[in-house]
Amino acid sequence: DTWGETLVRESPIALVHKIATATSTNPEERYVDDEILSKWILPPSTGFLLVGPEGVGKLHAARRIARLFLGHCLEASSVSSGNGTPIRGLDSVLEVIAGDYTHDDQEVHPAKELIVNYIHGRKGLGSVITIHHIELLPTWILSDISQVLSGETDTLSYTTPEEELVEASCDGSVFIFTSKQWGTKSLFQHIQRNNGPNGMRRESLISSIRWEVDSHLDYWTKLAAHANIAPFFPFEIEDLSSILQNRVQTLNQKYQGLHWKRLEVSHATIKHAVGMDHVEYLDLYKQNDGSGEEDRSVVALLTFSTSGAHALDNNALWQTLRTRLVSGTRRRPWLTLKVDLDNNSKETVFRWCDRENGGVGDCEEEWRSVLT
């Protein structure tokens, strides 16, 4: 079976974990001995391309896929780039942020050197390389990787300034790419064309993304044609509300029994925090053409955050609310802290309640203010 098919079939996924353990660098964790391991045939390399706007979970998903393949490796990678910069890695997974590497006048591009050295250092145990913001890499590097994914070659290499060839076999390698620019135009076009994200045909969208990505490369480089495409849709207000609610629950669990018995933040408060006044949104429209001028209308299809979940990281209101919850209230581990929004004054109200479902009359108000 190939690496790509293991992601969509339950049985081969279990097999991958078994193979991973069999090829572990720790002899005590192996199912097979060194003699059998030396004859092990790794599957051809495969690639995944995750596309979508900023802050929609591409990096998180890439790391989850990486853990699926190499989560059994606990040791930190010791491979470094040519100039001694440590790898930004996840256990034994190589993580490359394309914007961190510039070519300048160096004879070998540091990102290419890093990738080849990492695969070579894995010594046939299989490897996972995540490359983020691939639009920032030179097209010739993507062309080299594309040839590997297509099966045209199974090696990547570079030549040192001393004319020494460094070559690595890419069999058993998984390349995971992310891009917030390439493919996003196709995503939004299909949302408009199909009157929203729910009416889209997956095959048509994937084909459009493949064409768009490869149009940025030279004629012979078909990177997207040889990669599994995963589109990520933009986040709407409801998505950000759900993310923020999860952060509140994490906060509740962390300080439960220390600061409060239970923390409850109302939906109105959360919706206010991710509303138009605190997060930047854009509208995507659909032009409806009727039989006459009076029948033409513009319909809003999607209101999405321009920076996705990153908007919460830079959200001053949420940061202020979190600080107030953690360090600005009295500690009453026997009471429930309820946080609500006064719809008239837009003030955030903190109340301590001795009964979980008690009304306002059963609670003591500690603090109220307009958060900024």
Side-chain angles (χ1 to χ4, degrees), residues 111-312:
K112 176 72 174 294
E113 181 182 9
L114 188 64
I115 293 169
V116 174
N117 285 348
Y118 162 72
I119 298 175
H120 185 272
R122 290 291 295 164
K123 298 179 180 178
L125 295 179
S127 53
V128 177
I129 304 97
T130 63
I131 305 176
H132 306 292
H133 310 308
I134 60 168
E135 63 272 9
L136 301 179
L137 277 183
T139 56
W140 64 267
I141 293 182
L142 298 178
S143 178
D144 289 349
I145 298 176
S146 176
Q147 292 180 38
V148 170
L149 296 179
S150 68
E152 184 176 341
T153 180
D154 60 359
T155 62
L156 284 176
S157 63
Y158 69 88
T159 303
T160 68
E162 294 76 23
E163 300 299 324
E164 177 185 356
L165 178 66
V166 180
E167 189 174 56
S169 172
C170 295
D171 284 344
S173 296
V174 179
F175 292 88
I176 308 172
F177 313 100
T178 72
S179 177
K180 66 179 181 180
Q181 295 182 13
W182 296 353
T184 303
K185 180 180 179 181
S186 296
L187 192 61
F188 284 128
Q189 285 179 341
H190 273 68
I191 291 175
Q192 289 178 305
R193 191 178 305 149
N194 294 276
N195 296 317
N198 296 326
M200 288 192 296
R201 292 178 58 249
R202 182 180 183 277
E203 296 79 8
S204 176
L205 174 61
I206 297 302
S207 296
S208 180
I209 290 174
R210 280 204 169 99
W211 182 88
E212 180 188 343
V213 171
D214 286 341
S215 69
H216 291 281
L217 305 172
D218 60 68
Y219 180 79
W220 300 106
T221 302
K222 304 297 181 185
L223 181 71
H226 304 298
N228 302 280
I229 307 292
F232 285 68
F233 290 90
F235 282 167
E236 302 177 72
I237 294 179
E238 293 76 12
D239 298 315
L240 293 187
S241 296
S242 178
I243 294 173
L244 189 54
Q245 183 64 60
N246 288 335
R247 295 189 181 185
V248 168
Q249 290 303 318
T250 300
L251 203 63
N252 173 44
Q253 294 172 5
K254 182 176 182 179
Y255 294 101
Q256 198 167 33
L258 298 173
H259 287 205
W260 47 66
K261 180 180 179 181
R262 182 168 149 183
L263 171 65
E264 296 181 0
V265 180
S266 70
H267 179 69
T269 304
I270 290 177
K271 189 174 181 180
H272 178 62
V274 299
M276 298 291 187
D277 294 335
H278 307 288
V279 175
E280 183 180 356
Y281 293 91
L282 285 179
D283 287 316
L284 193 65
Y285 296 97
K286 170 69 176 181
Q287 178 79 41
N288 288 339
D289 293 327
S291 56
E293 289 291 337
E294 66 279 0
D295 296 324
R296 294 182 180 180
S297 61
V298 177
V299 179
L301 288 176
L302 186 72
T303 300
F304 62 94
S305 168
T306 58
S307 55
H310 297 166
L312 300 180

Side-chain angles (χ1 to χ4, degrees), residues 23-36:
T23 58
S24 171
T25 54
N26 184 355
E28 297 180 357
E29 296 179 357
R30 292 179 183 167
Y31 292 130
V32 293
D33 57 28
D34 288 331
E35 182 178 356
I36 296 177

Side-chain angles (χ1 to χ4, degrees), residues 254-262 323-337 350-353 364 366:
K254 182 176 182 179
Y255 294 101
Q256 198 167 33
L258 298 173
H259 287 205
W260 47 66
K261 180 180 179 181
R262 182 168 149 183
T323 301
R324 185 72 192 184
L325 287 169
V326 174
S327 58
T329 58
R330 288 177 287 176
R331 297 188 180 187
R332 296 181 175 183
W334 62 93
L335 296 177
T336 296
L337 176 58
F350 287 64
R351 296 187 180 96
W352 290 100
C353 305
E364 174 191 347
E366 176 182 344

